[in-house]
Amino acid sequence: QVQVAESGGGSVQSGGSLRVSCAVSGGSFSSYCMAWFRQAPGKEREGVAVINSAGALYYTDSVKGRFTISRDNAKNALYLQMNSLKAEDTAMYYCAARTTSRPCSGPLFATYQYNYWGQGTQVIVSS
C-alpha cells in the first residue's frame, strides 16, 4: 500500500517563497510519475506540476518560471519550491502519485490519472 503525506505549507506574504514536501512510502517511488495539484476554495482541483520517472518536468502556465518541482528518489520525497508567490496561489496543495505501469509522458494534469493522494497542505499568500 502506497501512502502519501504532504508537509511544509504555511502563510507567506506576496512575493515570498515557500517549499512544500511530500513523503511517499510503499512501492517503488523512483518509478512513479508524481505531481502537485492545488485546490482553492470554490474551485476545482488543478494540476500544477508533474515530474516523471525520467525527470521530465511539466508546469501549468500560471506557475512557469516561479515554481520548481523536484524529487529525491533516495529519500522517497517530492518537493515543490514556490517563489514569487501571489495571492492567487492560495490553495490546498496536494501530492499525487501515479503507480500504474502505463508510461507517464507529457503534462498529466487530470486528477483521474493519479491513484494515490495525500491529505493536502495549506498555502496562504497574503497581499
Side-chain angles (χ1 to χ4, degrees):
Q1 182 74 8
V2 176
Q3 294 184 320
V4 178
E6 304 92 340
S7 63
S11 296
V12 64
Q13 289 191 329
S14 180
S17 298
L18 202 61
R19 188 176 85 155
V20 291
S21 303
C22 173
V24 179
S25 60
S28 178
F29 175 77
S30 62
S31 68
Y32 299 159
C33 182
M34 298 296 300
W36 286 100
F37 285 74
R38 67 185 179 186
Q39 188 167 18
K43 295 188 176 181
E44 293 187 352
R45 193 170 298 189
E46 64 167 348
V48 174
V50 174
I51 182 169
N52 69 12
S53 58
L57 310 177
Y58 306 93
Y59 298 95
T60 193
D61 287 345
S62 62
V63 307
K64 284 180 181 177
R66 300 189 299 121
F67 289 13
T68 302
I69 188 172
S70 63
R71 67 193 300 162
D72 186 337
N73 290 334
K75 296 182 178 180
N76 286 4
L78 180 75
Y79 306 101
L80 185 67
Q81 177 67 42
M82 302 180 286
N83 298 328
S84 302
L85 282 161
K86 306 174 182 180
E88 50 263 44
D89 295 318
T90 294
M92 187 73 79
Y93 282 73
Y94 296 92
C95 175
R98 173 184 167 97
T99 66
T100 65
S101 59
R102 296 176 63 185
C104 178
S105 59
L108 303 184
F109 286 144
T111 56
Y112 73 86
Q113 293 168 318
Y114 296 85
N115 52 334
Y116 289 97
W117 294 81
Q119 295 299 308
T121 186
Q122 183 71 49
V123 173
I124 299 173
V125 184
S126 57
S127 56

